[in-house]
Amino acid sequence: MKKLVSVIFILGLLFSPAISSSTAVPEAALQPPSSSQSRPAAPDNPFFKPYGTPFNVPPFDLIKNEHFLPAIEEGIRREQAEVDAIVANPEPPTFENTIAALDHTGIFLSEVNGVFGALQGANTNKELQALARKTAPMLAAHRDNIGLNEKLFRRVKAVYDRRASLKLDREQLFLLENTYRDFVRGGALLDEAQKARLRELNQELSLQSVKFGENVLAETNAYKLVIDNQADLAGLPGSVVDMAAETAKQFGLAGKWVFTIQVPSMTPFLQSSERRPLREQIHRAYFMKGDHDNELDNKEIAKKIADLRRQKAAILGYPSHAAFVLETNMAKTPERVNAFLKQLWEPTLVKAREEAAALKALIDRQGGGFKLASWDWWYYTEKLRQEKYALDDSALRPYFKLDNVRDGIFALCGKLYGLKFIAKPDLPRYHPEVQVFEVQEADGTHTGILYMDFHPRPSKRSGAWSGGFRRVWYEQGKRVPPISTITCNFTRPTADAPALLSTDEVETFFHEFGHSLATLFSQGRFRNRSVARDSVELPSQIMEHWAFEPELLAVYAKHYKTGETIPAALVEKLERSSLFNQGFITAEYLAACILDMAWHTLPNPAAVDARQFENQVMGGIGLIPEIVPRYRSTYFSHIFSGGYSAGYYAYIWSEVLDCDAYEAFKEKGIFDRATAASFRKNVLEPFGTDDIMAQYVRFRGAEPKIDGLLRKRGLEIKK
Ligand SMILES: [Zn+2]
């Protein structure tokens, strides 16, 4: 079905693993602070005492901004003390006293950071931003203090060198190899001068990344399209007008209509506004974010980050940051990623050109008398969609009430895995809009807790992502259940209607839910995981395949007023139009992937002009001017303030896996419990505790083929 490459940050920055690793899935681990350690005199700080909440969730009602800094400082102190104890152990190094012991350090800090990172992304304020600027370099230094600790590394290496004779099982060996590898990649083999330089680079990188993200948020909040003349609402459906009226109220502009450059506000405007100059204005505001040559400009910061990363890679012995990053991914090298992207780019560009020609023809038929521009694409695409398929977004939305979609996902998880979801309205939350659910297995066993936060706010970063306050781990053999989060920027309810989602938003919801399932199902004796970045979208993207399956739509897609199930004719139209506009969707995504790879293989980023460089890269692949890359450099948060540098291609790389994996369900029936059980057992539960390809083959019986992806995107080479 319709494929939007959903935006997701796997907490790249939010949670940092104990040692500097680019691949460990960095989620929050927690435990209430242990009572055995000294506590500072901070009787009111909720981080310093047992939470005393149901399921031990963070006591958001008690946590104040001022509690974070002392708790982070204490977390750093404790983790350092735990590491010092490992180093000081007079016993010779063993797997247990070194590798497993290291795996269990920093739990208190992860807990605090998990809460801090989640609020920073979803509910920030000036104070938290200032705190992030202060703590980012502190945490970077702390990670280096562990990663570059020579005595610690000597113990790790001593175990690693004897690994063949230690009779370790697969999980232990995987942890050992990754721990050793992460130390080496963190600089453990460097000389003192190089280590000192690496520390400086890490400090600077941590600061620049925070600044980049802050600028994007400020630039997103800085623009409003205020309409006070009803005639300028021409073409907009009633629901979109209502939404703009609500937004105006939020900004104290009751009686007017406001559109922002948040996707749920901007996209419906671009799709239906008849006022071409206004479409141009709002779209320009969107794609010029961070590129205004003002104090929020991100051009120099992007260059700086790319250059710092290049220097870091050089010290570590890699020709580029991309080469450094990709070493631990499935793809392994920039050459392989570039070849993969090129293979997809060529047929995509052909399709995108055909689509542009069709839009131009439509403009001419209507006597438009102007050239197609990027701000026209959505508008004429919707017109053409109606012409070809008699289908429009606003006719579908009534069937996608947010609560119904959520319950549809719950139902799917019930069918596949037997899960049950129990609303917990009384648990503490960080914002009144957040929904909290307990997740249970079919037999009532507690699986974990899920927080969901759906709508945009000026305090929230744009996009959608899944994270967590706590990852699963075992404390003396007892499972400590995970707490997962889903944060989105979906269409808000209005005075007259509940939140009615677009098909893109429905797909994004399924996507993020897939990440959460991986967190909730996660099993394994150790806390640290090493997930190849380019496989991380497998659990999320496979969920998208179910979103518009007629059998599942019949369960959840009910009209919000009448309760009527989505008519078969509408479902059929949705299916028939699944390849419509795929050239555009794939082209804008691939263009961003190629831009990411270009920045991170550039020999001297400091010497380029950021805007020119971007134009040159886009010109080099022949991107047509009517399409803007999905992210331009100045607001490409995934790569400059998230964990996706040299990794934005991960979505489409993972898509090879998820398309192939879904075939298994199609072969046996899309709700087949045995296939689901095998997927859970072989892929989701051990995700990050073993080689992903080995896991995949255990599920599928063979390595994945690319055919499913090409079919889904309409990119099969016609012979
Ligand atoms: Zn994702």
Side-chain angles (χ1 to χ4, degrees), residues 8 511-512 515 537 540 644 651:
I8 190 265
H511 177 112
E512 302 310 337
H515 284 302
E537 304 303 333
S540 52
Y644 279 77
Y651 293 91

Side-chain angles (χ1 to χ4, degrees), residues 5-10 464-466 508 511-512 514-515 536-541 544 638 644 651:
V5 181
S6 317
V7 181
I8 190 265
F9 292 82
I10 284 278
W465 63 94
S466 167
T508 300
H511 177 112
E512 302 310 337
H515 284 302
V536 89
E537 304 303 333
L538 165 60
S540 52
Q541 288 179 170
E544 297 175 21
H638 282 80
Y644 279 77
Y651 293 91

